[in-house]
Amino acid sequence: MKLHAAVTCVLKAIPSMEVTEGEVNDSTQLAALLNSLPLDDVEAVTADAGYLSRHNCDLIEAKGAKPYIKLKKNIHVIRAFGSKAWVNMILEWRKDPKGWNKKYHMRSSAESAFSAIKRRFGHRLASIRKDLQRKELMTKVLAYNLNILAKIN
């Protein structure tokens, strides 16, 4: 099983998640994650290179946010293919790589959340059946979110 999740920067809570088979491409899951988030709450979206695509940059910009998706080493020439968001992201990176990387590294919030879930609930799933593994992983995320809420109140 593979967890695809949107993670908030401040609380490191997970307001949106998708659980898929392990071989599913990350890039295809971004639309579902974004669609379940409130429209006005998203300022920026950071993601690793698995989510890099022009389509995903367009989805993020349509949400009113700026994309900060890890660029692959072979991105030398800007080929928009109709994606203004893609061009803007690359131009911003070229203009100020240090500033861009600083914003990109907000992504560490997601890694912290994944690490906390694994530390608290273990990195293995006990269930044998795929449908039960999916439910078990979602339950771990829900318990993680409840733990965060309990610490706030």
Side-chain angles (χ1 to χ4, degrees), residues 16-43:
S16 176
M17 69 177 150
E18 292 291 323
V19 178
T20 63
E21 296 286 327
E23 302 82 33
V24 172
N25 189 323
D26 292 340
S27 184
T28 61
Q29 301 305 308
L30 186 65
L33 293 172
L34 288 174
N35 287 337
S36 62
L37 296 175
L39 282 174
D40 298 336
D41 288 353
V42 182
E43 245 178 70

mmCIF file of all heavy atoms in Angstrom, residues 16-43:
data_model
loop_
_atom_site.group_PDB
_atom_site.id
_atom_site.type_symbol
_atom_site.label_atom_id
_atom_site.label_comp_id
_atom_site.label_asym_id
_atom_site.label_seq_id
_atom_site.Cartn_x
_atom_site.Cartn_y
_atom_site.Cartn_z
ATOM 1 N N SER A 16 -6.131 15.463 3.704
ATOM 2 C CA SER A 16 -6.529 14.754 2.496
ATOM 3 C C SER A 16 -5.550 13.618 2.242
ATOM 4 O O SER A 16 -4.340 13.801 2.356
ATOM 5 C CB SER A 16 -6.524 15.734 1.314
ATOM 6 O OG SER A 16 -6.812 15.075 0.118
ATOM 7 N N MET A 17 -6.092 12.438 1.912
ATOM 8 C CA MET A 17 -5.219 11.296 1.638
ATOM 9 C C MET A 17 -5.841 10.367 0.611
ATOM 10 O O MET A 17 -7.058 10.329 0.442
ATOM 11 C CB MET A 17 -4.924 10.522 2.917
ATOM 12 C CG MET A 17 -6.111 9.789 3.477
ATOM 13 S SD MET A 17 -5.654 8.841 4.923
ATOM 14 C CE MET A 17 -7.183 8.864 5.813
ATOM 15 N N GLU A 18 -4.978 9.649 -0.063
ATOM 16 C CA GLU A 18 -5.363 8.593 -0.992
ATOM 17 C C GLU A 18 -4.465 7.401 -0.690
ATOM 18 O O GLU A 18 -3.261 7.562 -0.514
ATOM 19 C CB GLU A 18 -5.160 9.028 -2.446
ATOM 20 C CG GLU A 18 -6.085 10.119 -2.935
ATOM 21 C CD GLU A 18 -7.532 9.660 -3.071
ATOM 22 O OE1 GLU A 18 -7.757 8.498 -3.463
ATOM 23 O OE2 GLU A 18 -8.412 10.472 -2.778
ATOM 24 N N VAL A 19 -5.052 6.225 -0.618
ATOM 25 C CA VAL A 19 -4.284 5.000 -0.412
ATOM 26 C C VAL A 19 -4.427 4.172 -1.686
ATOM 27 O O VAL A 19 -5.532 3.909 -2.143
ATOM 28 C CB VAL A 19 -4.791 4.213 0.816
ATOM 29 C CG1 VAL A 19 -4.009 2.913 0.968
ATOM 30 C CG2 VAL A 19 -4.674 5.059 2.068
ATOM 31 N N THR A 20 -3.277 3.798 -2.260
ATOM 32 C CA THR A 20 -3.285 3.056 -3.518
ATOM 33 C C THR A 20 -2.363 1.844 -3.408
ATOM 34 O O THR A 20 -1.646 1.678 -2.412
ATOM 35 C CB THR A 20 -2.786 3.941 -4.681
ATOM 36 O OG1 THR A 20 -1.428 4.310 -4.410
ATOM 37 C CG2 THR A 20 -3.635 5.177 -4.857
ATOM 38 N N GLU A 21 -2.363 1.039 -4.438
ATOM 39 C CA GLU A 21 -1.395 -0.047 -4.550
ATOM 40 C C GLU A 21 -0.008 0.580 -4.640
ATOM 41 O O GLU A 21 0.139 1.716 -5.087
ATOM 42 C CB GLU A 21 -1.664 -0.871 -5.811
ATOM 43 C CG GLU A 21 -2.997 -1.587 -5.818
ATOM 44 C CD GLU A 21 -3.024 -2.788 -4.886
ATOM 45 O OE1 GLU A 21 -1.985 -3.442 -4.720
ATOM 46 O OE2 GLU A 21 -4.092 -3.056 -4.319
ATOM 47 N N GLY A 22 1.001 -0.131 -4.250
ATOM 48 C CA GLY A 22 2.352 0.407 -4.197
ATOM 49 C C GLY A 22 2.930 0.866 -5.515
ATOM 50 O O GLY A 22 3.795 1.727 -5.556
ATOM 51 N N GLU A 23 2.442 0.313 -6.628
ATOM 52 C CA GLU A 23 3.016 0.625 -7.935
ATOM 53 C C GLU A 23 2.370 1.834 -8.604
ATOM 54 O O GLU A 23 2.789 2.248 -9.672
ATOM 55 C CB GLU A 23 2.876 -0.569 -8.893
ATOM 56 C CG GLU A 23 3.525 -1.845 -8.403
ATOM 57 C CD GLU A 23 2.647 -2.607 -7.417
ATOM 58 O OE1 GLU A 23 1.406 -2.568 -7.538
ATOM 59 O OE2 GLU A 23 3.201 -3.237 -6.506
ATOM 60 N N VAL A 24 1.330 2.402 -8.013
ATOM 61 C CA VAL A 24 0.606 3.516 -8.630
ATOM 62 C C VAL A 24 1.495 4.758 -8.656
ATOM 63 O O VAL A 24 2.157 5.093 -7.671
ATOM 64 C CB VAL A 24 -0.712 3.812 -7.867
ATOM 65 C CG1 VAL A 24 -1.372 5.071 -8.369
ATOM 66 C CG2 VAL A 24 -1.652 2.629 -8.001
ATOM 67 N N ASN A 25 1.504 5.433 -9.798
ATOM 68 C CA ASN A 25 2.307 6.633 -9.983
ATOM 69 C C ASN A 25 1.794 7.772 -9.103
ATOM 70 O O ASN A 25 0.604 8.040 -9.061
ATOM 71 C CB ASN A 25 2.249 7.027 -11.465
ATOM 72 C CG ASN A 25 3.212 8.117 -11.811
ATOM 73 O OD1 ASN A 25 3.450 9.047 -11.030
ATOM 74 N ND2 ASN A 25 3.783 8.021 -12.988
ATOM 75 N N ASP A 26 2.688 8.455 -8.415
ATOM 76 C CA ASP A 26 2.315 9.577 -7.547
ATOM 77 C C ASP A 26 1.596 10.671 -8.321
ATOM 78 O O ASP A 26 0.626 11.254 -7.836
ATOM 79 C CB ASP A 26 3.564 10.196 -6.902
ATOM 80 C CG ASP A 26 4.230 9.283 -5.895
ATOM 81 O OD1 ASP A 26 3.568 8.355 -5.413
ATOM 82 O OD2 ASP A 26 5.406 9.512 -5.585
ATOM 83 N N SER A 27 2.070 10.960 -9.492
ATOM 84 C CA SER A 27 1.580 12.090 -10.279
ATOM 85 C C SER A 27 0.074 12.042 -10.527
ATOM 86 O O SER A 27 -0.584 13.080 -10.574
ATOM 87 C CB SER A 27 2.325 12.123 -11.619
ATOM 88 O OG SER A 27 1.954 13.239 -12.356
ATOM 89 N N THR A 28 -0.468 10.850 -10.637
ATOM 90 C CA THR A 28 -1.896 10.706 -10.942
ATOM 91 C C THR A 28 -2.794 10.976 -9.737
ATOM 92 O O THR A 28 -4.009 11.109 -9.887
ATOM 93 C CB THR A 28 -2.197 9.287 -11.460
ATOM 94 O OG1 THR A 28 -1.854 8.337 -10.439
ATOM 95 C CG2 THR A 28 -1.418 8.988 -12.729
ATOM 96 N N GLN A 29 -2.230 11.083 -8.550
ATOM 97 C CA GLN A 29 -3.028 11.220 -7.328
ATOM 98 C C GLN A 29 -3.215 12.665 -6.871
ATOM 99 O O GLN A 29 -4.025 12.934 -5.996
ATOM 100 C CB GLN A 29 -2.385 10.412 -6.194
ATOM 101 C CG GLN A 29 -2.249 8.943 -6.511
ATOM 102 C CD GLN A 29 -3.564 8.312 -6.900
ATOM 103 O OE1 GLN A 29 -4.554 8.432 -6.181
ATOM 104 N NE2 GLN A 29 -3.592 7.661 -8.048
ATOM 105 N N LEU A 30 -2.479 13.601 -7.461
ATOM 106 C CA LEU A 30 -2.517 14.977 -6.974
ATOM 107 C C LEU A 30 -3.890 15.621 -7.126
ATOM 108 O O LEU A 30 -4.344 16.331 -6.230
ATOM 109 C CB LEU A 30 -1.456 15.829 -7.680
ATOM 110 C CG LEU A 30 -1.315 17.241 -7.138
ATOM 111 C CD1 LEU A 30 -0.808 17.222 -5.701
ATOM 112 C CD2 LEU A 30 -0.397 18.066 -8.000
ATOM 113 N N ALA A 31 -4.566 15.364 -8.219
ATOM 114 C CA ALA A 31 -5.886 15.976 -8.441
ATOM 115 C C ALA A 31 -6.862 15.602 -7.331
ATOM 116 O O ALA A 31 -7.563 16.469 -6.798
ATOM 117 C CB ALA A 31 -6.442 15.557 -9.805
ATOM 118 N N ALA A 32 -6.907 14.348 -6.949
ATOM 119 C CA ALA A 32 -7.815 13.902 -5.883
ATOM 120 C C ALA A 32 -7.456 14.547 -4.551
ATOM 121 O O ALA A 32 -8.344 14.941 -3.787
ATOM 122 C CB ALA A 32 -7.781 12.380 -5.769
ATOM 123 N N LEU A 33 -6.165 14.678 -4.277
ATOM 124 C CA LEU A 33 -5.737 15.307 -3.024
ATOM 125 C C LEU A 33 -6.144 16.777 -2.985
ATOM 126 O O LEU A 33 -6.640 17.268 -1.981
ATOM 127 C CB LEU A 33 -4.219 15.187 -2.854
ATOM 128 C CG LEU A 33 -3.667 13.784 -2.637
ATOM 129 C CD1 LEU A 33 -2.146 13.798 -2.678
ATOM 130 C CD2 LEU A 33 -4.162 13.198 -1.336
ATOM 131 N N LEU A 34 -5.946 17.472 -4.092
ATOM 132 C CA LEU A 34 -6.284 18.904 -4.148
ATOM 133 C C LEU A 34 -7.786 19.144 -4.107
ATOM 134 O O LEU A 34 -8.248 20.095 -3.471
ATOM 135 C CB LEU A 34 -5.708 19.537 -5.409
ATOM 136 C CG LEU A 34 -4.196 19.741 -5.450
ATOM 137 C CD1 LEU A 34 -3.772 20.237 -6.821
ATOM 138 C CD2 LEU A 34 -3.737 20.680 -4.365
ATOM 139 N N ASN A 35 -8.542 18.290 -4.776
ATOM 140 C CA ASN A 35 -9.997 18.492 -4.854
ATOM 141 C C ASN A 35 -10.692 18.384 -3.509
ATOM 142 O O ASN A 35 -11.761 18.956 -3.319
ATOM 143 C CB ASN A 35 -10.622 17.515 -5.848
ATOM 144 C CG ASN A 35 -10.306 17.884 -7.275
ATOM 145 O OD1 ASN A 35 -10.004 19.034 -7.578
ATOM 146 N ND2 ASN A 35 -10.341 16.908 -8.156
ATOM 147 N N SER A 36 -10.102 17.674 -2.567
ATOM 148 C CA SER A 36 -10.751 17.529 -1.267
ATOM 149 C C SER A 36 -10.316 18.605 -0.266
ATOM 150 O O SER A 36 -10.736 18.589 0.879
ATOM 151 C CB SER A 36 -10.488 16.132 -0.699
ATOM 152 O OG SER A 36 -9.113 15.951 -0.504
ATOM 153 N N LEU A 37 -9.478 19.540 -0.717
ATOM 154 C CA LEU A 37 -9.048 20.640 0.157
ATOM 155 C C LEU A 37 -9.911 21.871 -0.076
ATOM 156 O O LEU A 37 -10.369 22.103 -1.193
ATOM 157 C CB LEU A 37 -7.583 20.995 -0.126
ATOM 158 C CG LEU A 37 -6.561 19.916 0.177
ATOM 159 C CD1 LEU A 37 -5.182 20.371 -0.278
ATOM 160 C CD2 LEU A 37 -6.544 19.567 1.649
ATOM 161 N N PRO A 38 -10.113 22.701 0.959
ATOM 162 C CA PRO A 38 -10.868 23.947 0.785
ATOM 163 C C PRO A 38 -10.149 24.868 -0.197
ATOM 164 O O PRO A 38 -8.922 24.922 -0.227
ATOM 165 C CB PRO A 38 -10.878 24.568 2.186
ATOM 166 C CG PRO A 38 -10.501 23.479 3.117
ATOM 167 C CD PRO A 38 -9.706 22.485 2.338
ATOM 168 N N LEU A 39 -10.924 25.591 -1.005
ATOM 169 C CA LEU A 39 -10.344 26.421 -2.057
ATOM 170 C C LEU A 39 -9.397 27.501 -1.552
ATOM 171 O O LEU A 39 -8.352 27.734 -2.127
ATOM 172 C CB LEU A 39 -11.462 27.092 -2.870
ATOM 173 C CG LEU A 39 -12.150 26.211 -3.895
ATOM 174 C CD1 LEU A 39 -13.314 26.950 -4.520
ATOM 175 C CD2 LEU A 39 -11.181 25.779 -4.969
ATOM 176 N N ASP A 40 -9.753 28.201 -0.494
ATOM 177 C CA ASP A 40 -8.995 29.372 -0.078
ATOM 178 C C ASP A 40 -7.834 29.062 0.858
ATOM 179 O O ASP A 40 -7.079 29.963 1.208
ATOM 180 C CB ASP A 40 -9.927 30.375 0.615
ATOM 181 C CG ASP A 40 -11.023 30.872 -0.323
ATOM 182 O OD1 ASP A 40 -10.807 30.811 -1.540
ATOM 183 O OD2 ASP A 40 -12.072 31.301 0.171
ATOM 184 N N ASP A 41 -7.681 27.826 1.282
ATOM 185 C CA ASP A 41 -6.679 27.500 2.290
ATOM 186 C C ASP A 41 -5.317 27.122 1.734
ATOM 187 O O ASP A 41 -4.381 26.940 2.485
ATOM 188 C CB ASP A 41 -7.182 26.353 3.179
ATOM 189 C CG ASP A 41 -8.284 26.801 4.114
ATOM 190 O OD1 ASP A 41 -8.557 28.008 4.167
ATOM 191 O OD2 ASP A 41 -8.865 25.941 4.788
ATOM 192 N N VAL A 42 -5.190 26.984 0.434
ATOM 193 C CA VAL A 42 -3.951 26.488 -0.155
ATOM 194 C C VAL A 42 -3.164 27.658 -0.747
ATOM 195 O O VAL A 42 -3.606 28.305 -1.678
ATOM 196 C CB VAL A 42 -4.237 25.428 -1.239
ATOM 197 C CG1 VAL A 42 -2.943 24.876 -1.801
ATOM 198 C CG2 VAL A 42 -5.103 24.310 -0.688
ATOM 199 N N GLU A 43 -1.985 27.921 -0.171
ATOM 200 C CA GLU A 43 -1.108 28.995 -0.644
ATOM 201 C C GLU A 43 -0.060 28.475 -1.610
ATOM 202 O O GLU A 43 0.236 29.085 -2.617
ATOM 203 C CB GLU A 43 -0.385 29.616 0.551
ATOM 204 C CG GLU A 43 -0.740 31.030 0.826
ATOM 205 C CD GLU A 43 0.003 31.526 2.050
ATOM 206 O OE1 GLU A 43 1.236 31.699 1.980
ATOM 207 O OE2 GLU A 43 -0.668 31.718 3.067
#
